[in-house]
Amino acid sequence: MINHIDLSTVLRRTVCDLYSDLVTRPTGAAVRDGIEKQLSELGDRSLTVIDFSHVGLLDYSCADEIVAKLLMRYAEASAPRDAYFLFRGVSDSHLDAIETVLERHGLAIVAQAEDGTVVLVGTVDDPERRAWEAMLRMGRAMADDLAREAEIAPEQMERVIGALCRRRLAMELDGGYVVVGAVT
Amino acid sequence: MTSVINLPPSLDERTFETVLEHLAPIPIDEKVILDGRHTRWASPYGLTALLTVAQTRAEKPTLVSPESEETGSYWARTGFFKHAEELFEMHGSTHRARASGESDVLLEITPVGKSEDVHEVVSRIQQKSASILVKELNIDAKATMGFAMTLSEACQNIVEHAGRGGWVAVQTYRWQKRLGRRVVVIAVCDAGVGFRQSLESAQGRRMSDRWDDGMALEEAVIRGVSRFRDPGRGQGLAGVRRYIGRWDGKLSVRSGTARIAIVPSWDEDVPLEEKLPPFPGAQMQITIPERITDR
């Protein structure tokens, strides 16, 4: 099931109905709580579009509270559910803050551009990027096919796919693997 | 006993040190008169730091306002008197704001103590700054968001670390003598716990033998260390540093007895000054110069 969360709506509902900027840590923490409440109403497995389209300013502190902490929580083995995220409506100024916090924590996200194409943002190593791009080209694919496409040894590909799924950048679907955002 | 301190004719980050030198030996419960009659000009730093001085005194200080109508009018336009009347016993002329073409107050002196104040500051600066930054300082339109982010992070330093409220002000003016260009200046001043004490409050933190205000500033401003163990902390000042680096700006932070600066090529400041007169809290100034474009 694909869920959609408009961050400006969450901001107005959880913090103040006059705000359009995502600034300060307390604001970020309140918005993240709002997101998690919505996630808790979904099933055990979900894909959620986090939409920045109507957000004015995003500062580093808020990006850290919302994007980085959300990802870290759901990338842990103890995550409350199997949740994946696609980030949409990210402007250049949002990206500045988001990239900074992702690099700080060694994280990455999948962002969707206006034309629907998806890109990786943040910290990914070369095999992860090659595998992810191969997955994007192929659509749903099996590990062996991905290994051939990305020119990565099959035994290494298992590990790389595991990392991509754990990092919420790809997901298992019907026995194969797809990049997050390929199935919206 | 009452001590009189004459404010310098030009009250800015540098000359304010003379005020602090005179202030340092005076016990906080002793009456102080700050005489600003002959002050002709004040930067946002000078004005916000003046308010901060009043916050540090147990005995309400007296402020004698400038004799110059032009200076007083400018101070009024910055909103200074509105706050000063609560913190000082005011003497001298009562000034009213008049329009002026030479300086632009982008953000009146605004109290900052909680997260909501930062939202208010960011919202107001975005409405007012975009066209001025682009038209007068030749700063890329996209960078105006970065400017607001920088302001947000600078203000959050008060909310997260100071332990008491502070002040922020933003202004543009022509920096004729030093640079011959327009600049936009952000001043954020508080009289809170300061960087050293904030970092000392971190659980399990080990202090080196050399631990002092200068080292605390180096840790926080240069290395992004925070009192919180959360690895995501410390990004705010790092973001401020990146922004000023991108726009050839200057950052200086004073706390306790030290002052650290990220110095661009157009300035001759020193990177670290120590053994300054002690003063509580943290006082930050960010200066972004007009961008020179090929015409």
Side-chain angles (χ1 to χ4, degrees), chain A residues 19 21 23-25 27 56-61 64 69 100-101 104-105, chain B residues 115-116 119 122 126 142 145 149 152-153 156 230-233 235 239 242:
Chain A
Y19 293 167
D21 299 312
V23 294
T24 81
R25 283 197 179 270
T27 297
L57 184 70
L58 173 71
D59 72 8
Y60 302 105
S61 302
D64 190 61
K69 286 191 175 165
T100 301
V101 300
R104 174 98 170 196
H105 294 282
Chain B
S115 175
E116 291 85 338
H119 276 275
V122 165
Q126 285 183 93
K142 285 179 186 167
M145 292 297 252
M149 275 163 71
S152 168
E153 297 293 351
Q156 283 180 70
D230 176 349
R233 294 290 184 141
Q235 295 184 75
R242 255 195 314 279

PDB file of all heavy atoms in Angstrom, chain A residues 19 21 23-25 27 56-61 64 69 100-101 104-105, chain B residues 115-116 119 122 126 142 145 149 152-153 156 230-233 235 239 242:
ATOM      1  N   TYR A  19       2.379  27.983  10.335  1.00  0.00           N
ATOM      2  CA  TYR A  19       3.757  27.767   9.867  1.00  0.00           C
ATOM      3  C   TYR A  19       3.798  27.096   8.492  1.00  0.00           C
ATOM      4  O   TYR A  19       2.973  26.237   8.187  1.00  0.00           O
ATOM      5  CB  TYR A  19       4.521  26.867  10.844  1.00  0.00           C
ATOM      6  CG  TYR A  19       4.791  27.463  12.207  1.00  0.00           C
ATOM      7  CD1 TYR A  19       5.232  26.661  13.250  1.00  0.00           C
ATOM      8  CD2 TYR A  19       4.628  28.821  12.465  1.00  0.00           C
ATOM      9  CE1 TYR A  19       5.499  27.181  14.518  1.00  0.00           C
ATOM     10  CE2 TYR A  19       4.887  29.347  13.714  1.00  0.00           C
ATOM     11  CZ  TYR A  19       5.318  28.523  14.739  1.00  0.00           C
ATOM     12  OH  TYR A  19       5.580  29.034  15.977  1.00  0.00           O
ATOM     13  N   ASP A  21       7.322  26.765   7.320  1.00  0.00           N
ATOM     14  CA  ASP A  21       8.753  26.446   7.297  1.00  0.00           C
ATOM     15  C   ASP A  21       9.072  25.336   8.295  1.00  0.00           C
ATOM     16  O   ASP A  21       8.575  25.341   9.419  1.00  0.00           O
ATOM     17  CB  ASP A  21       9.580  27.686   7.667  1.00  0.00           C
ATOM     18  CG  ASP A  21       9.375  28.826   6.687  1.00  0.00           C
ATOM     19  OD1 ASP A  21       9.459  28.555   5.468  1.00  0.00           O
ATOM     20  OD2 ASP A  21       9.128  29.957   7.127  1.00  0.00           O
ATOM     21  N   VAL A  23      11.615  24.501  10.476  1.00  0.00           N
ATOM     22  CA  VAL A  23      12.822  24.954  11.173  1.00  0.00           C
ATOM     23  C   VAL A  23      12.727  24.597  12.656  1.00  0.00           C
ATOM     24  O   VAL A  23      11.633  24.521  13.191  1.00  0.00           O
ATOM     25  CB  VAL A  23      13.057  26.483  11.020  1.00  0.00           C
ATOM     26  CG1 VAL A  23      13.359  26.849   9.574  1.00  0.00           C
ATOM     27  CG2 VAL A  23      11.877  27.305  11.512  1.00  0.00           C
ATOM     28  N   THR A  24      13.860  24.394  13.242  1.00  0.00           N
ATOM     29  CA  THR A  24      14.105  24.063  14.665  1.00  0.00           C
ATOM     30  C   THR A  24      13.911  22.569  14.961  1.00  0.00           C
ATOM     31  O   THR A  24      13.093  21.894  14.335  1.00  0.00           O
ATOM     32  CB  THR A  24      13.247  24.869  15.681  1.00  0.00           C
ATOM     33  OG1 THR A  24      11.956  24.307  15.794  1.00  0.00           O
ATOM     34  CG2 THR A  24      13.200  26.338  15.343  1.00  0.00           C
ATOM     35  N   ARG A  25      14.664  22.113  15.931  1.00  0.00           N
ATOM     36  CA  ARG A  25      14.595  20.697  16.326  1.00  0.00           C
ATOM     37  C   ARG A  25      13.253  20.308  16.938  1.00  0.00           C
ATOM     38  O   ARG A  25      12.700  19.262  16.586  1.00  0.00           O
ATOM     39  CB  ARG A  25      15.729  20.366  17.307  1.00  0.00           C
ATOM     40  CG  ARG A  25      17.035  20.207  16.602  1.00  0.00           C
ATOM     41  CD  ARG A  25      18.093  19.497  17.402  1.00  0.00           C
ATOM     42  NE  ARG A  25      19.265  19.411  16.551  1.00  0.00           N
ATOM     43  CZ  ARG A  25      19.524  18.414  15.736  1.00  0.00           C
ATOM     44  NH1 ARG A  25      18.712  17.379  15.670  1.00  0.00           N
ATOM     45  NH2 ARG A  25      20.604  18.424  14.981  1.00  0.00           N
ATOM     46  N   THR A  27      10.360  21.447  16.293  1.00  0.00           N
ATOM     47  CA  THR A  27       9.405  21.329  15.189  1.00  0.00           C
ATOM     48  C   THR A  27       9.648  20.029  14.428  1.00  0.00           C
ATOM     49  O   THR A  27       8.713  19.284  14.132  1.00  0.00           O
ATOM     50  CB  THR A  27       9.550  22.541  14.232  1.00  0.00           C
ATOM     51  OG1 THR A  27       9.229  23.721  14.960  1.00  0.00           O
ATOM     52  CG2 THR A  27       8.644  22.419  13.026  1.00  0.00           C
ATOM     53  N   GLY A  56       8.167  25.544   2.860  1.00  0.00           N
ATOM     54  CA  GLY A  56       9.022  26.676   2.505  1.00  0.00           C
ATOM     55  C   GLY A  56      10.473  26.341   2.774  1.00  0.00           C
ATOM     56  O   GLY A  56      11.157  25.697   1.975  1.00  0.00           O
ATOM     57  N   LEU A  57      10.918  26.707   3.928  1.00  0.00           N
ATOM     58  CA  LEU A  57      12.323  26.515   4.302  1.00  0.00           C
ATOM     59  C   LEU A  57      12.489  25.229   5.115  1.00  0.00           C
ATOM     60  O   LEU A  57      11.634  24.890   5.929  1.00  0.00           O
ATOM     61  CB  LEU A  57      12.764  27.719   5.149  1.00  0.00           C
ATOM     62  CG  LEU A  57      14.219  27.773   5.571  1.00  0.00           C
ATOM     63  CD1 LEU A  57      15.110  28.043   4.386  1.00  0.00           C
ATOM     64  CD2 LEU A  57      14.411  28.875   6.615  1.00  0.00           C
ATOM     65  N   LEU A  58      13.584  24.544   4.873  1.00  0.00           N
ATOM     66  CA  LEU A  58      13.960  23.391   5.697  1.00  0.00           C
ATOM     67  C   LEU A  58      15.367  23.661   6.210  1.00  0.00           C
ATOM     68  O   LEU A  58      16.295  23.831   5.413  1.00  0.00           O
ATOM     69  CB  LEU A  58      13.948  22.117   4.848  1.00  0.00           C
ATOM     70  CG  LEU A  58      14.483  20.846   5.505  1.00  0.00           C
ATOM     71  CD1 LEU A  58      13.522  20.327   6.578  1.00  0.00           C
ATOM     72  CD2 LEU A  58      14.715  19.745   4.465  1.00  0.00           C
ATOM     73  N   ASP A  59      15.556  23.719   7.514  1.00  0.00           N
ATOM     74  CA  ASP A  59      16.919  23.955   8.006  1.00  0.00           C
ATOM     75  C   ASP A  59      17.582  22.623   8.402  1.00  0.00           C
ATOM     76  O   ASP A  59      16.950  21.568   8.387  1.00  0.00           O
ATOM     77  CB  ASP A  59      16.956  25.020   9.116  1.00  0.00           C
ATOM     78  CG  ASP A  59      16.371  24.554  10.435  1.00  0.00           C
ATOM     79  OD1 ASP A  59      16.057  23.350  10.567  1.00  0.00           O
ATOM     80  OD2 ASP A  59      16.237  25.388  11.351  1.00  0.00           O
ATOM     81  N   TYR A  60      18.860  22.694   8.730  1.00  0.00           N
ATOM     82  CA  TYR A  60      19.628  21.475   9.014  1.00  0.00           C
ATOM     83  C   TYR A  60      19.057  20.712  10.211  1.00  0.00           C
ATOM     84  O   TYR A  60      18.972  19.490  10.202  1.00  0.00           O
ATOM     85  CB  TYR A  60      21.096  21.831   9.294  1.00  0.00           C
ATOM     86  CG  TYR A  60      21.763  22.562   8.170  1.00  0.00           C
ATOM     87  CD1 TYR A  60      22.007  23.921   8.254  1.00  0.00           C
ATOM     88  CD2 TYR A  60      22.143  21.891   7.010  1.00  0.00           C
ATOM     89  CE1 TYR A  60      22.615  24.609   7.214  1.00  0.00           C
ATOM     90  CE2 TYR A  60      22.755  22.565   5.956  1.00  0.00           C
ATOM     91  CZ  TYR A  60      22.986  23.926   6.069  1.00  0.00           C
ATOM     92  OH  TYR A  60      23.578  24.608   5.036  1.00  0.00           O
ATOM     93  N   SER A  61      18.682  21.463  11.241  1.00  0.00           N
ATOM     94  CA  SER A  61      18.193  20.826  12.459  1.00  0.00           C
ATOM     95  C   SER A  61      16.918  20.048  12.192  1.00  0.00           C
ATOM     96  O   SER A  61      16.738  18.920  12.662  1.00  0.00           O
ATOM     97  CB  SER A  61      17.932  21.882  13.538  1.00  0.00           C
ATOM     98  OG  SER A  61      19.110  22.605  13.796  1.00  0.00           O
ATOM     99  N   ASP A  64      17.559  16.986  10.067  1.00  0.00           N
ATOM    100  CA  ASP A  64      18.130  15.926  10.883  1.00  0.00           C
ATOM    101  C   ASP A  64      17.039  15.191  11.660  1.00  0.00           C
ATOM    102  O   ASP A  64      17.008  13.968  11.708  1.00  0.00           O
ATOM    103  CB  ASP A  64      19.159  16.525  11.863  1.00  0.00           C
ATOM    104  CG  ASP A  64      19.970  15.448  12.560  1.00  0.00           C
ATOM    105  OD1 ASP A  64      20.665  14.699  11.853  1.00  0.00           O
ATOM    106  OD2 ASP A  64      19.885  15.339  13.789  1.00  0.00           O
ATOM    107  N   LYS A  69      16.554  10.984  11.301  1.00  0.00           N
ATOM    108  CA  LYS A  69      16.096  10.137  12.411  1.00  0.00           C
ATOM    109  C   LYS A  69      15.014   9.150  11.984  1.00  0.00           C
ATOM    110  O   LYS A  69      14.944   8.039  12.499  1.00  0.00           O
ATOM    111  CB  LYS A  69      15.627  11.010  13.574  1.00  0.00           C
ATOM    112  CG  LYS A  69      16.815  11.643  14.290  1.00  0.00           C
ATOM    113  CD  LYS A  69      16.459  12.299  15.581  1.00  0.00           C
ATOM    114  CE  LYS A  69      17.748  12.789  16.250  1.00  0.00           C
ATOM    115  NZ  LYS A  69      17.479  13.741  17.326  1.00  0.00           N
ATOM    116  N   THR A 100      23.226  17.332   3.519  1.00  0.00           N
ATOM    117  CA  THR A 100      24.176  17.555   4.614  1.00  0.00           C
ATOM    118  C   THR A 100      23.946  16.567   5.755  1.00  0.00           C
ATOM    119  O   THR A 100      24.883  15.966   6.270  1.00  0.00           O
ATOM    120  CB  THR A 100      24.043  19.013   5.128  1.00  0.00           C
ATOM    121  OG1 THR A 100      24.299  19.892   4.043  1.00  0.00           O
ATOM    122  CG2 THR A 100      25.017  19.293   6.252  1.00  0.00           C
ATOM    123  N   VAL A 101      22.690  16.403   6.141  1.00  0.00           N
ATOM    124  CA  VAL A 101      22.433  15.499   7.279  1.00  0.00           C
ATOM    125  C   VAL A 101      22.616  14.030   6.875  1.00  0.00           C
ATOM    126  O   VAL A 101      23.056  13.211   7.685  1.00  0.00           O
ATOM    127  CB  VAL A 101      21.045  15.726   7.926  1.00  0.00           C
ATOM    128  CG1 VAL A 101      20.922  17.149   8.434  1.00  0.00           C
ATOM    129  CG2 VAL A 101      19.893  15.393   7.003  1.00  0.00           C
ATOM    130  N   ARG A 104      26.276  13.329   7.030  1.00  0.00           N
ATOM    131  CA  ARG A 104      26.723  13.292   8.433  1.00  0.00           C
ATOM    132  C   ARG A 104      26.508  11.903   9.046  1.00  0.00           C
ATOM    133  O   ARG A 104      27.309  11.423   9.825  1.00  0.00           O
ATOM    134  CB  ARG A 104      25.929  14.344   9.206  1.00  0.00           C
ATOM    135  CG  ARG A 104      26.149  14.351  10.690  1.00  0.00           C
ATOM    136  CD  ARG A 104      27.151  15.401  11.048  1.00  0.00           C
ATOM    137  NE  ARG A 104      27.221  15.613  12.487  1.00  0.00           N
ATOM    138  CZ  ARG A 104      27.772  16.667  13.041  1.00  0.00           C
ATOM    139  NH1 ARG A 104      28.288  17.606  12.305  1.00  0.00           N
ATOM    140  NH2 ARG A 104      27.827  16.792  14.341  1.00  0.00           N
ATOM    141  N   HIS A 105      25.374  11.285   8.683  1.00  0.00           N
ATOM    142  CA  HIS A 105      25.029   9.988   9.281  1.00  0.00           C
ATOM    143  C   HIS A 105      25.355   8.813   8.357  1.00  0.00           C
ATOM    144  O   HIS A 105      25.088   7.664   8.723  1.00  0.00           O
ATOM    145  CB  HIS A 105      23.536   9.946   9.599  1.00  0.00           C
ATOM    146  CG  HIS A 105      23.104  10.915  10.671  1.00  0.00           C
ATOM    147  ND1 HIS A 105      23.303  10.680  12.008  1.00  0.00           N
ATOM    148  CD2 HIS A 105      22.488  12.111  10.588  1.00  0.00           C
ATOM    149  CE1 HIS A 105      22.803  11.700  12.715  1.00  0.00           C
ATOM    150  NE2 HIS A 105      22.317  12.579  11.878  1.00  0.00           N
TER     151      HIS A 105
ATOM    152  N   SER B 115      11.554  28.034  20.416  1.00  0.00           N
ATOM    153  CA  SER B 115      11.445  27.585  19.028  1.00  0.00           C
ATOM    154  C   SER B 115      10.489  28.469  18.218  1.00  0.00           C
ATOM    155  O   SER B 115      10.754  28.801  17.056  1.00  0.00           O
ATOM    156  CB  SER B 115      10.964  26.136  19.036  1.00  0.00           C
ATOM    157  OG  SER B 115      10.733  25.667  17.753  1.00  0.00           O
ATOM    158  N   GLU B 116       9.384  28.890  18.823  1.00  0.00           N
ATOM    159  CA  GLU B 116       8.388  29.713  18.115  1.00  0.00           C
ATOM    160  C   GLU B 116       9.006  31.034  17.650  1.00  0.00           C
ATOM    161  O   GLU B 116       8.641  31.559  16.593  1.00  0.00           O
ATOM    162  CB  GLU B 116       7.186  30.018  19.028  1.00  0.00           C
ATOM    163  CG  GLU B 116       6.336  28.816  19.348  1.00  0.00           C
ATOM    164  CD  GLU B 116       6.844  28.001  20.534  1.00  0.00           C
ATOM    165  OE1 GLU B 116       8.045  28.100  20.867  1.00  0.00           O
ATOM    166  OE2 GLU B 116       6.043  27.262  21.116  1.00  0.00           O
ATOM    167  N   HIS B 119      10.732  30.509  14.351  1.00  0.00           N
ATOM    168  CA  HIS B 119       9.758  30.478  13.247  1.00  0.00           C
ATOM    169  C   HIS B 119       9.388  31.896  12.828  1.00  0.00           C
ATOM    170  O   HIS B 119       9.322  32.213  11.642  1.00  0.00           O
ATOM    171  CB  HIS B 119       8.492  29.730  13.677  1.00  0.00           C
ATOM    172  CG  HIS B 119       8.597  28.248  13.523  1.00  0.00           C
ATOM    173  ND1 HIS B 119       8.320  27.606  12.336  1.00  0.00           N
ATOM    174  CD2 HIS B 119       8.958  27.287  14.391  1.00  0.00           C
ATOM    175  CE1 HIS B 119       8.507  26.312  12.491  1.00  0.00           C
ATOM    176  NE2 HIS B 119       8.889  26.081  13.733  1.00  0.00           N
ATOM    177  N   VAL B 122      12.343  33.629  11.012  1.00  0.00           N
ATOM    178  CA  VAL B 122      12.547  33.076   9.665  1.00  0.00           C
ATOM    179  C   VAL B 122      11.450  33.552   8.713  1.00  0.00           C
ATOM    180  O   VAL B 122      11.713  33.919   7.568  1.00  0.00           O
ATOM    181  CB  VAL B 122      12.602  31.529   9.744  1.00  0.00           C
ATOM    182  CG1 VAL B 122      12.436  30.901   8.375  1.00  0.00           C
ATOM    183  CG2 VAL B 122      13.896  31.085  10.383  1.00  0.00           C
ATOM    184  N   GLN B 126      12.317  36.146   5.469  1.00  0.00           N
ATOM    185  CA  GLN B 126      12.086  35.705   4.087  1.00  0.00           C
ATOM    186  C   GLN B 126      11.254  36.724   3.327  1.00  0.00           C
ATOM    187  O   GLN B 126      11.492  36.995   2.153  1.00  0.00           O
ATOM    188  CB  GLN B 126      11.393  34.346   4.071  1.00  0.00           C
ATOM    189  CG  GLN B 126      12.329  33.220   4.429  1.00  0.00           C
ATOM    190  CD  GLN B 126      11.632  31.884   4.331  1.00  0.00           C
ATOM    191  OE1 GLN B 126      11.684  31.222   3.308  1.00  0.00           O
ATOM    192  NE2 GLN B 126      10.977  31.481   5.398  1.00  0.00           N
ATOM    193  N   LYS B 142      18.554  31.876  -5.252  1.00  0.00           N
ATOM    194  CA  LYS B 142      18.488  30.589  -4.534  1.00  0.00           C
ATOM    195  C   LYS B 142      19.160  30.680  -3.164  1.00  0.00           C
ATOM    196  O   LYS B 142      18.825  29.947  -2.241  1.00  0.00           O
ATOM    197  CB  LYS B 142      19.186  29.499  -5.354  1.00  0.00           C
ATOM    198  CG  LYS B 142      18.392  29.025  -6.545  1.00  0.00           C
ATOM    199  CD  LYS B 142      19.179  27.961  -7.290  1.00  0.00           C
ATOM    200  CE  LYS B 142      18.473  27.581  -8.569  1.00  0.00           C
ATOM    201  NZ  LYS B 142      19.347  26.794  -9.448  1.00  0.00           N
ATOM    202  N   MET B 145      17.343  31.469   0.493  1.00  0.00           N
ATOM    203  CA  MET B 145      16.868  30.422   1.404  1.00  0.00           C
ATOM    204  C   MET B 145      17.997  30.013   2.345  1.00  0.00           C
ATOM    205  O   MET B 145      17.782  29.787   3.536  1.00  0.00           O
ATOM    206  CB  MET B 145      16.386  29.183   0.627  1.00  0.00           C
ATOM    207  CG  MET B 145      15.153  29.418  -0.178  1.00  0.00           C
ATOM    208  SD  MET B 145      13.727  29.830   0.863  1.00  0.00           S
ATOM    209  CE  MET B 145      12.771  28.353   0.757  1.00  0.00           C
ATOM    210  N   MET B 149      18.196  29.979   6.386  1.00  0.00           N
ATOM    211  CA  MET B 149      18.642  28.790   7.136  1.00  0.00           C
ATOM    212  C   MET B 149      19.747  29.166   8.114  1.00  0.00           C
ATOM    213  O   MET B 149      19.776  28.712   9.261  1.00  0.00           O
ATOM    214  CB  MET B 149      19.190  27.729   6.168  1.00  0.00           C
ATOM    215  CG  MET B 149      18.138  26.844   5.577  1.00  0.00           C
ATOM    216  SD  MET B 149      18.764  25.988   4.132  1.00  0.00           S
ATOM    217  CE  MET B 149      19.888  24.834   4.840  1.00  0.00           C
ATOM    218  N   SER B 152      18.296  30.949  10.966  1.00  0.00           N
ATOM    219  CA  SER B 152      17.577  29.994  11.815  1.00  0.00           C
ATOM    220  C   SER B 152      18.543  29.241  12.735  1.00  0.00           C
ATOM    221  O   SER B 152      18.328  29.133  13.941  1.00  0.00           O
ATOM    222  CB  SER B 152      16.812  29.004  10.926  1.00  0.00           C
ATOM    223  OG  SER B 152      16.344  27.920  11.676  1.00  0.00           O
ATOM    224  N   GLU B 153      19.624  28.743  12.150  1.00  0.00           N
ATOM    225  CA  GLU B 153      20.572  27.962  12.949  1.00  0.00           C
ATOM    226  C   GLU B 153      21.279  28.836  13.993  1.00  0.00           C
ATOM    227  O   GLU B 153      21.538  28.397  15.105  1.00  0.00           O
ATOM    228  CB  GLU B 153      21.599  27.270  12.050  1.00  0.00           C
ATOM    229  CG  GLU B 153      21.016  26.249  11.077  1.00  0.00           C
ATOM    230  CD  GLU B 153      20.419  25.009  11.745  1.00  0.00           C
ATOM    231  OE1 GLU B 153      20.591  24.839  12.961  1.00  0.00           O
ATOM    232  OE2 GLU B 153      19.761  24.220  11.046  1.00  0.00           O
ATOM    233  N   GLN B 156      18.914  29.320  16.791  1.00  0.00           N
ATOM    234  CA  GLN B 156      18.694  28.103  17.563  1.00  0.00           C
ATOM    235  C   GLN B 156      19.801  27.845  18.572  1.00  0.00           C
ATOM    236  O   GLN B 156      19.613  27.126  19.551  1.00  0.00           O
ATOM    237  CB  GLN B 156      18.565  26.908  16.635  1.00  0.00           C
ATOM    238  CG  GLN B 156      17.216  26.843  15.966  1.00  0.00           C
ATOM    239  CD  GLN B 156      17.109  25.657  15.047  1.00  0.00           C
ATOM    240  OE1 GLN B 156      17.047  24.516  15.497  1.00  0.00           O
ATOM    241  NE2 GLN B 156      17.113  25.906  13.761  1.00  0.00           N
ATOM    242  N   ASP B 230      23.885  12.999  20.781  1.00  0.00           N
ATOM    243  CA  ASP B 230      23.263  12.719  19.490  1.00  0.00           C
ATOM    244  C   ASP B 230      24.230  13.110  18.360  1.00  0.00           C
ATOM    245  O   ASP B 230      24.638  14.267  18.261  1.00  0.00           O
ATOM    246  CB  ASP B 230      21.976  13.559  19.431  1.00  0.00           C
ATOM    247  CG  ASP B 230      21.245  13.450  18.109  1.00  0.00           C
ATOM    248  OD1 ASP B 230      21.820  12.892  17.165  1.00  0.00           O
ATOM    249  OD2 ASP B 230      20.107  13.930  18.044  1.00  0.00           O
ATOM    250  N   PRO B 231      24.621  12.148  17.493  1.00  0.00           N
ATOM    251  CA  PRO B 231      25.597  12.467  16.446  1.00  0.00           C
ATOM    252  C   PRO B 231      25.087  13.469  15.415  1.00  0.00           C
ATOM    253  O   PRO B 231      25.863  14.027  14.649  1.00  0.00           O
ATOM    254  CB  PRO B 231      25.879  11.108  15.795  1.00  0.00           C
ATOM    255  CG  PRO B 231      24.709  10.263  16.135  1.00  0.00           C
ATOM    256  CD  PRO B 231      24.193  10.744  17.457  1.00  0.00           C
ATOM    257  N   GLY B 232      23.781  13.714  15.404  1.00  0.00           N
ATOM    258  CA  GLY B 232      23.230  14.679  14.465  1.00  0.00           C
ATOM    259  C   GLY B 232      23.402  16.119  14.920  1.00  0.00           C
ATOM    260  O   GLY B 232      23.125  17.052  14.173  1.00  0.00           O
ATOM    261  N   ARG B 233      23.845  16.285  16.154  1.00  0.00           N
ATOM    262  CA  ARG B 233      23.993  17.643  16.680  1.00  0.00           C
ATOM    263  C   ARG B 233      25.285  18.288  16.160  1.00  0.00           C
ATOM    264  O   ARG B 233      26.208  17.610  15.754  1.00  0.00           O
ATOM    265  CB  ARG B 233      24.035  17.601  18.213  1.00  0.00           C
ATOM    266  CG  ARG B 233      22.737  17.142  18.820  1.00  0.00           C
ATOM    267  CD  ARG B 233      21.679  18.192  18.626  1.00  0.00           C
ATOM    268  NE  ARG B 233      20.436  17.803  19.285  1.00  0.00           N
ATOM    269  CZ  ARG B 233      19.658  18.655  19.931  1.00  0.00           C
ATOM    270  NH1 ARG B 233      19.954  19.935  19.980  1.00  0.00           N
ATOM    271  NH2 ARG B 233      18.550  18.241  20.499  1.00  0.00           N
ATOM    272  N   GLN B 235      25.359  20.370  13.649  1.00  0.00           N
ATOM    273  CA  GLN B 235      25.302  20.648  12.206  1.00  0.00           C
ATOM    274  C   GLN B 235      24.933  22.094  11.909  1.00  0.00           C
ATOM    275  O   GLN B 235      25.183  22.587  10.819  1.00  0.00           O
ATOM    276  CB  GLN B 235      24.284  19.723  11.545  1.00  0.00           C
ATOM    277  CG  GLN B 235      24.688  18.285  11.626  1.00  0.00           C
ATOM    278  CD  GLN B 235      23.728  17.382  10.876  1.00  0.00           C
ATOM    279  OE1 GLN B 235      23.739  17.345   9.663  1.00  0.00           O
ATOM    280  NE2 GLN B 235      22.891  16.669  11.601  1.00  0.00           N
ATOM    281  N   GLY B 239      26.672  24.337   9.203  1.00  0.00           N
ATOM    282  CA  GLY B 239      25.904  24.887   8.085  1.00  0.00           C
ATOM    283  C   GLY B 239      26.152  26.379   7.914  1.00  0.00           C
ATOM    284  O   GLY B 239      26.270  26.872   6.797  1.00  0.00           O
ATOM    285  N   ARG B 242      29.480  26.757   6.256  1.00  0.00           N
ATOM    286  CA  ARG B 242      29.424  26.452   4.819  1.00  0.00           C
ATOM    287  C   ARG B 242      28.836  27.630   4.043  1.00  0.00           C
ATOM    288  O   ARG B 242      29.314  28.000   2.985  1.00  0.00           O
ATOM    289  CB  ARG B 242      28.558  25.209   4.577  1.00  0.00           C
ATOM    290  CG  ARG B 242      29.357  23.975   4.248  1.00  0.00           C
ATOM    291  CD  ARG B 242      28.481  22.889   3.680  1.00  0.00           C
ATOM    292  NE  ARG B 242      27.257  22.712   4.438  1.00  0.00           N
ATOM    293  CZ  ARG B 242      27.159  22.023   5.569  1.00  0.00           C
ATOM    294  NH1 ARG B 242      28.227  21.437   6.063  1.00  0.00           N
ATOM    295  NH2 ARG B 242      26.025  21.907   6.204  1.00  0.00           N
TER     296      ARG B 242
END
